[in-house]
Amino acid sequence: MTTLKMDGKFGSNRLDREDQGVLGKPVDRLDGVRKVTGGAVYSADWRSDQPLAVGYLVCSTRGTGRVTALDVKLARQAPGVLAIYPRLPGLPATAPAGDLIYPQPAEVRHVGAPLALVVAETFEQARAAAILVKVAYDGDVPGRYILGDERARARKPGPFLFEPDHLRGSKKGLSGDTAAVDVEFTTPPQTHAAMEPHATIASWEGDKVTLRASYQMLNRGRQALARVLGIAEDRIRLISTFVGGGFGGKTGMSVETVFAAQASRLLGRPVKVVMTRRQVFAATSRRSETIQRISLVARAGKGLAEIGHHSIVANLPHEIFWEPPGVGTMNLYASDSLDITHRLAEIDLVRAGMMRAPGEAVGMLALEVAMDELAEKLGKDPVAFRIECEPVVDPLDGKPFSARNLVGCLKEGARRFGWDRRQTQPGQRRDGEWLVGMGMAAAIRLNIFDSSQARVRLSADGTVRVETDLTDIGTGSYTVMAQVASEMLGVPMDRVTVALGDTDLPLSAGSGGSWGASTTGTAVFIACQDIAARIAAGLGVEPDAMTLKDGQVIAANKTYALASLVPPRGLEALGHAEPGANYQTHVHSTFGAHFVEAAVSALTGEVRVRRMLGVFDAGRIMNAKLARSQLIGGMIFGIGGALGEELVVDPRYGNFINGDLGDYLIPVNADVPPIDVVFLDEQDAWANPLKTKGIGELGISGSGAAIANAIYHACGARCRDFPLTPDKVFAAMEHAAGV
Ligand code: MOS
């Protein structure tokens, strides 16, 4: 195994020579045809040669209190039922006998909490029987479901990824000829709503279990499963060949996996459990609602004197995760003082966890709207004002940025979008019933690096195989890993195969936090470099003096077929990438600028986004087509966050009123305007030898704020309570008009 730590600035390497010329190109997805023809096998599609038993979860209909018994008399007698397993602290040795089961009263933490699994021969039988299970509850504790009601009880949480509070510099307050804003924003609970629901097929062979399940990070998932199932990690094989979206909702362990594994062990046959859409919403995790207060004070002259970003977020008691809306604010703008706090309130809703761009996605909705408000008060152009606030080093701790070209994004975006045609005053442009405006916002997202391994094998026939447990969650991991190997070894793409998503393969950091392609791509790079060095050594040349291209090796003025230099048993290397010092010495972020034209109906307050542009600085781009698609996807997420997405909570019972895709409003094609994505494609030599950074979550950061700012510019009314639905926008317009 060859380990490389990200220590020091990376110079040029084989990737920069572009001998093969495939890295960065808009290569089609290797799995594209399989995906659109039904050939891609997702977890629940897997066919066993043994008959699959099917489990259906019984979930709590109460938000608080205790479960005292499950009356399973009728359910047990229902056709096809094989067993009913209640949820236990620890796990049941067998399905309990009797009509009333629940071994000991168990606390109900939220509506939708899984209580039991009914297993039957078919899905329909399991579901029908699950409906017959009667749950007895006691205790009538009033639930805490609404963050606004709990804000006074919010407390400082422990550190999670970040410290909750950051204070730098001292506040001087408003003085002289400056302006300030001090405004409060609210964002609602949201759900990941990946297209593929959480699903597991469990099968045991002896004391080993194979779990075909929809996970983003197999290694992390397996660690958690080992703890819960009480077995060693090496007895669990977790396979996620294809994952139909995750967005953070599949980063940990999924509860249906635990039930499926246990039921399968007890029944002695494979068990499949697929969550319904409503269960995905109510029983997995969500993004916390937030209350955010932004206070900004401008300096007399130019720039910012003070930035304050104070967030209140929610989670269940005893959960350690908290949504960090202030994270982008830590590194975005220069100011004389910076004051960021996070407070956590206990709420009895399904666990709040990571959802796409945790922190920035909702934090930028507040910060970047407040920046727009301050620019307007100062009579400054919002693009120019942001450029005034550009820091030289990291605003929080003075470290250098690994690379940063936010100003380039702002300028290029303004130029391409036609920002100079924007009227200074809001509410100037009308197109029939539609008021039309332009808005913009900056984007920032952390670039994170974590330990990853990949194995590369060059066979004697000249083909290459890449193996790692990295997942492809719709992002294109199969394709970009193949591109790195193809470029590094000078082998055409059609001679590279990639195996992913299996804990039997070398373990990676998986897909999350936008780090998948960079971290595991670096591991592939390391392994390929190792193989190239061995080929060079065999020829007696320096690796750099050797060209690898189209399956040929050119060295010392001779050309060889690559395959002819490979020993019969092939060449194999295991690459291991580690974060190293660079992630301490430098601040690593990606940047962008969003521009939006939006129309607001003067009659109804309905918003139609007319066009969007994002210009991004996110290191080297590995695949122009896939990267563009990812950023477009993130920007569409921004439309959802600004205009539609909201889990509506019934304040009486704590259930989600719109807990399905019929009522939870995600943008559909008709909501999505033409979207233009531009990459500055500047390499980040402090990030990793590929000089890439994470791109997956950058598109969502700031895009919703640009929409909100365009709405204001269209109609002259500010609304700070997301999502900006027609009722709220219309009320804000009436308020602004003094109606
Ligand atoms: Mo992410 S929110 O770590 O998929």
Side-chain angles (χ1 to χ4, degrees), residues 516-529:
S518 289
T519 56
T520 310
T522 299
V524 173
F525 170 92
I526 296 164
C528 290
Q529 207 176 35

Side-chain angles (χ1 to χ4, degrees), residues 125-141:
Q125 288 171 337
R127 182 177 56 182
I131 293 166
L132 299 175
V133 174
K134 291 197 199 85
V135 186
Y137 302 88
D138 80 0
D140 199 10
V141 193

Side-chain angles (χ1 to χ4, degrees), residues 43 46 48 50 52 199-213 215 222 225 229 231 233-241 257 260-262 264-265 269-272 501-504:
S43 299
W46 182 72
S48 164
Q50 292 171 272
L52 284 171
T200 300
I201 297 176
S203 55
W204 289 79
E205 216 169 302
D207 64 352
K208 285 195 158 179
V209 65
T210 300
L211 300 166
R212 289 173 169 79
Y215 279 62
R222 185 170 68 162
L225 286 162
L229 295 172
I231 60 176
E233 279 178 46
D234 62 7
R235 288 171 53 199
I236 301 173
R237 181 178 178 192
L238 188 54
I239 301 175
S240 307
T241 313
T257 312
Q262 189 62 6
S264 171
R265 175 150 65 178
R269 58 189 274 196
V271 172
K272 166 153 102 173
D502 184 340
T503 50
D504 275 1

Side-chain angles (χ1 to χ4, degrees), residues 93-284:
T94 182
D99 293 341
L100 291 172
I101 58 172
Y102 226 79
Q104 61 204 59
E107 190 195 353
V108 174
R109 301 179 74 199
H110 62 89
V111 171
L115 302 175
L117 185 75
V118 177
V119 186
E121 295 290 352
T122 69
F123 174 80
E124 289 75 13
Q125 288 171 337
R127 182 177 56 182
I131 293 166
L132 299 175
V133 174
K134 291 197 199 85
V135 186
Y137 302 88
D138 80 0
D140 199 10
V141 193
R144 300 162 296 178
Y145 305 127
I146 304 297
L147 180 58
D149 297 341
E150 302 301 321
R151 61 188 294 171
R153 281 176 285 281
R155 285 198 298 266
K156 183 176 169 180
F160 187 91
L161 301 177
F162 322 95
E163 289 293 331
D165 291 2
H166 299 265
L167 182 64
R168 192 194 46 69
S170 58
K171 287 183 245 191
K172 299 191 188 68
L174 189 59
S175 66
D177 190 19
T178 64
V181 294
D182 187 354
V183 279
E184 187 170 286
F185 297 85
T186 48
T187 66
Q190 298 174 335
T191 187
H192 310 78
M195 196 184 292
E196 181 202 20
H198 296 58
T200 300
I201 297 176
S203 55
W204 289 79
E205 216 169 302
D207 64 352
K208 285 195 158 179
V209 65
T210 300
L211 300 166
R212 289 173 169 79
S214 190
Y215 279 62
Q216 294 178 227
M217 301 176 196
L218 300 191
N219 191 15
R220 241 187 240 195
R222 185 170 68 162
Q223 286 168 4
L225 286 162
R227 278 195 303 277
V228 174
L229 295 172
I231 60 176
E233 279 178 46
D234 62 7
R235 288 171 53 199
I236 301 173
R237 181 178 178 192
L238 188 54
I239 301 175
S240 307
T241 313
F242 291 101
V243 179
F247 312 120
K250 296 172 180 171
T251 49
M253 178 196 77
S254 189
V255 66
E256 94 290 346
T257 312
V258 181
F259 276 106
Q262 189 62 6
S264 171
R265 175 150 65 178
L266 298 174
L267 282 173
R269 58 189 274 196
V271 172
K272 166 153 102 173
V273 183
V274 181
M275 286 199 190
T276 64
R277 180 59 62 183
R278 282 187 174 274
Q279 288 172 346
V280 170
F281 279 29
T284 62

Side-chain angles (χ1 to χ4, degrees), residues 216-217 247-248 251 354-358 511-513 515 697:
Q216 294 178 227
M217 301 176 196
F247 312 120
T251 49
M354 289 189 274
M355 181 167 144
R356 204 163 199 199
S511 298
W515 59 61
E697 293 162 303

